[in-house]
Amino acid sequence: MNDLVRQHTALGETDLEWLHLLVSEWQLLSDLSFADLVLWVPTLDGTRYVSVAQMRPNTGPTSYQDDMVGHLVPRGRRPLLDAALDEGRIVREGDPEWREEVPVRVESIPVRREGRVLGVIARNTNLLTVRTPSRLELTYLQSASDLAQMIAAGAFPFPGQQVDMDASPRVGDGLMRLDADGVVTYASPNALSAYHRLGLASDLVGQHLGTTTAELAPSRGPVDEALVKLASGWAPRETEVEGNGGVIQLRAIPLKPKGTRIGSLVLCRDVTELRRRERELITKDATIREIHHRVKNNLQTVAALLRLQARRMDSEGGREALNEAVRRVGSIAIVHETLSQNLDERVEFDEIADRVIAMVAEISPGKVDCRRVGRFGILDAEVATPLSMVLTEILQNALEHAFTQGEGGTVEVTAARSGTGRTDGRLLITILDDGSGLPEGFDPQRAGNLGLQIVRTLVEGELGGTFDMVRAEPRGTKVVLDVPVSTQK
């Protein structure tokens, strides 16, 4: 719609915003009218109309099989559009049109904003299935007529009240028509069922909806008065009401077809099961986060015990082995700490990598600068945990063996993501140091060092990737990891 309006018409940005607001609401008019809606806007030169939006009803058959958006028609070809635009009134004159052997009643509704007619809504009703209308259909049609008059007067949609139609109740979910005093004059079967879910034992017709709703909902103190007003349809608002184990969603729409409030529409939807599932998910998420938090605490306790045991050991080799175990446990604890703060089992690994680098850098024998380049991105928990251990082992190995006591240097961790599919991405990690390099004849695939055994096992077994360690030029060591990961960022 933005492109069509800006390309073909003279409407400004505020006018375009009004049309967007209208289009966000006009499913309501389409369903109440049992009719298709097409929004026509005059072109810049005033000689044609361009259709910028279209809506089909959920309550009846369509009268347009084709997409009408983008069509251009000259003035004069559709006299009802001309009359509605020029005279600023709803035009219903004329015989039904025949489209592919289907009779269609056409009406034109001017779209007014601040006294100006911006365009015209063509309301097209398929008459092929017309029958004697029921009380529900008559209520729908009367409500549609009131809304159409409000659109023609510039009183609908309501400014600042853009509605998410996917989340708001729709006409078919449940509809109540109230008079000016807030008393129900009609309630659809779905609306009555929703209120029965709240505990209502009688009919709704003849009852004051605001008072009845407040009585069915739990006591909320000062909120009761606001709930009474909302359910009485005094202002365009939405709320949810919970009672008797049920939850219903309400949306009030005041009706002012001639500038004076004559009543209101209240749409309602039973969302009991939806809210129950949402609460179950929230409870599940909270439980998972609590588990990660407790695992992190337990791992930190294990690390503290190992650290305490290391201080009491006389053997230098034993003490160093326990300190290495402390760092391994710590890297896993960092992942669980991050997961305990997330709503899902995915983590931003850059933060974890930075913390692992800082933790391992504490053992540096000299002034070694450890830094990260590039982004790891978001990783699944089953990838993040083993990868944090792999990163810990490789960095620990580099800092312990690449640099002598007091020697300075650099260790750089580079990460890069690739791939465009959901599951076919790759994560390429390079750890490069400018230390003393590998000893002659060193084979990382056969080395018996415990740290390298852990790396090989985790990279090839857990992560399904590859691992290599080679001499760097002009000096130092380069470790390359290639791991398959999800490419969802």
Side-chain angles (χ1 to χ4, degrees):
M1 185 166 72
N2 288 349
D3 294 340
L4 289 170
V5 168
R6 289 167 181 157
Q7 179 182 354
H8 294 285
T9 78
L11 298 183
E13 291 300 315
T14 54
D15 295 329
L16 181 56
E17 289 176 11
W18 183 261
L19 295 184
H20 275 293
L21 190 61
L22 173 66
V23 168
S24 74
E25 292 273 27
W26 71 343
Q27 180 74 64
L28 176 65
L29 177 62
S30 177
D31 290 345
L32 290 173
S33 304
F34 308 98
D36 290 74
L37 305 178
V38 179
L39 177 57
W40 297 93
V41 180
T43 57
L44 185 61
D45 57 11
T47 62
R48 295 181 296 175
Y49 297 96
V50 58
S51 59
V52 299
Q54 179 180 2
M55 178 58 66
R56 292 184 173 91
N58 294 317
T59 52
T62 183
S63 56
Y64 280 117
Q65 298 299 326
D66 298 327
D67 184 6
M68 295 297 296
V69 176
H71 282 214
L72 290 162
V73 297
R75 276 184 66 97
R77 180 174 296 179
R78 301 193 177 185
L80 296 186
L81 294 182
D82 298 338
L85 182 69
D86 297 338
E87 301 172 22
R89 64 180 180 89
I90 299 175
V91 182
R92 296 190 176 94
E93 299 88 351
D95 297 328
E97 297 180 4
W98 287 83
R99 300 175 188 164
E100 298 179 0
E101 300 184 354
V102 175
V104 177
R105 181 174 64 242
V106 181
E107 304 167 83
S108 295
I109 305 166
V111 177
R112 192 183 304 272
R113 173 181 175 269
E114 297 181 352
R116 295 169 47 242
V117 177
L118 307 182
V120 179
I121 294 175
R123 181 163 56 177
N124 304 268
T125 307
N126 186 326
L127 300 178
L128 197 60
T129 59
V130 169
R131 60 186 185 278
T132 303
S134 65
R135 179 75 188 281
L136 180 145
E137 290 169 331
L138 288 173
T139 302
Y140 277 22
L141 292 171
Q142 180 58 54
S143 302
S145 176
D146 294 335
L147 283 178
Q149 291 183 56
M150 291 171 65
I151 292 172
F156 187 84
F158 303 107
Q161 293 290 324
Q162 187 161 353
V163 174
D164 180 1
M165 292 305 298
D166 291 332
S168 295
R170 299 195 178 200
V171 170
D173 295 326
L175 177 142
M176 293 166 282
R177 174 91 185 209
L178 314 184
D179 64 16
D181 296 323
V183 176
V184 180
T185 60
Y186 176 78
S188 71
N190 284 347
L192 188 59
S193 296
Y195 266 79
H196 284 167
R197 190 71 176 262
L198 287 182
L200 181 69
S202 61
D203 195 0
L204 273 170
V205 176
Q207 299 200 41
H208 188 278
L209 186 64
T211 303
T212 301
T213 304
E215 290 173 351
L216 294 173
S219 177
R220 299 184 181 183
V223 181
D224 282 348
E225 183 178 351
L227 179 60
V228 169
K229 287 186 176 181
L230 186 148
S232 301
W234 286 94
R237 296 285 188 274
E238 288 192 35
T239 191
E240 287 188 4
V241 179
E242 184 170 358
N244 194 42
V247 185
I248 65 171
Q249 189 177 16
L250 296 177
R251 182 190 176 198
I253 304 167
L255 297 176
K256 303 177 181 179
K258 296 181 180 179
T260 303
R261 181 176 173 275
I262 63 168
S264 58
L265 289 179
V266 177
L267 306 180
C268 68
R269 177 168 59 183
D270 185 349
V271 292
T272 304
E273 292 304 313
L274 177 63
R275 296 296 176 258
R276 182 186 63 80
R277 290 196 296 270
E278 287 178 352
R279 288 167 184 166
E280 287 180 352
L281 288 174
I282 291 172
T283 302
K284 179 182 176 182
D285 289 339
T287 302
I288 291 173
R289 290 200 299 272
E290 178 63 21
I291 290 172
H292 284 303
H293 182 71
R294 294 190 181 189
V295 170
K296 183 262 297 184
N297 288 343
N298 290 339
L299 289 172
Q300 289 180 338
T301 301
V302 171
L305 292 174
L306 291 173
R307 195 177 295 112
L308 181 63
Q309 184 67 40
R311 293 196 191 105
R312 299 173 64 89
M313 291 197 68
D314 297 330
S315 168
E316 182 65 29
R319 187 182 305 113
E320 184 54 36
L322 287 177
N323 285 331
E324 288 182 1
V326 167
R327 288 186 286 273
R328 289 167 184 148
V329 172
S331 66
I332 302 175
I334 290 172
V335 177
H336 283 282
E337 181 180 4
T338 305
L339 288 168
S340 70
Q341 301 167 0
N342 288 356
L343 295 177
D344 55 22
E345 292 292 288
R346 295 172 64 80
V347 295
E348 177 63 64
F349 196 79
D350 295 326
E351 178 186 350
I352 294 174
D354 292 340
R355 293 180 62 181
V356 167
I357 291 171
M359 177 183 68
V360 178
E362 295 177 357
I363 69 168
S364 173
K367 297 180 180 179
V368 178
D369 177 25
C370 296
R371 59 174 179 262
R372 171 177 61 87
V373 177
R375 293 191 67 248
F376 288 84
I378 296 175
L379 300 178
D380 294 328
E382 57 264 29
V383 174
T385 301
L387 186 58
S388 68
M389 286 197 65
V390 168
L391 196 58
T392 300
E393 294 298 331
I394 295 174
L395 289 172
Q396 191 168 275
N397 187 73
L399 292 174
E400 284 184 352
H401 303 294
F403 305 99
T404 59
Q405 187 69 35
E407 182 183 11
T410 301
V411 177
E412 185 173 273
V413 180
T414 302
R417 298 284 287 263
S418 64
T420 57
R422 173 63 181 86
T423 57
D424 63 349
R426 311 291 299 185
L427 174 60
L428 185 65
I429 307 167
T430 304
I431 298 97
L432 179 65
D433 69 68
D434 56 1
S436 57
L438 297 173
E440 198 66 36
F442 179 82
D443 184 357
Q445 303 301 331
R446 297 173 180 263
N449 178 285
L450 176 61
L452 290 181
Q453 288 181 8
I454 292 175
V455 170
R456 286 197 299 270
T457 300
L458 292 177
V459 172
E460 297 171 1
E462 292 284 326
L463 299 175
T466 60
F467 157 69
D468 197 14
M469 178 182 287
V470 297
R471 284 179 174 271
E473 296 296 337
R475 66 189 300 253
T477 304
K478 181 168 74 171
V479 178
V480 180
L481 306 173
D482 188 356
V483 178
V485 293
S486 161
T487 57
Q488 180 176 331
K489 302 294 175 56

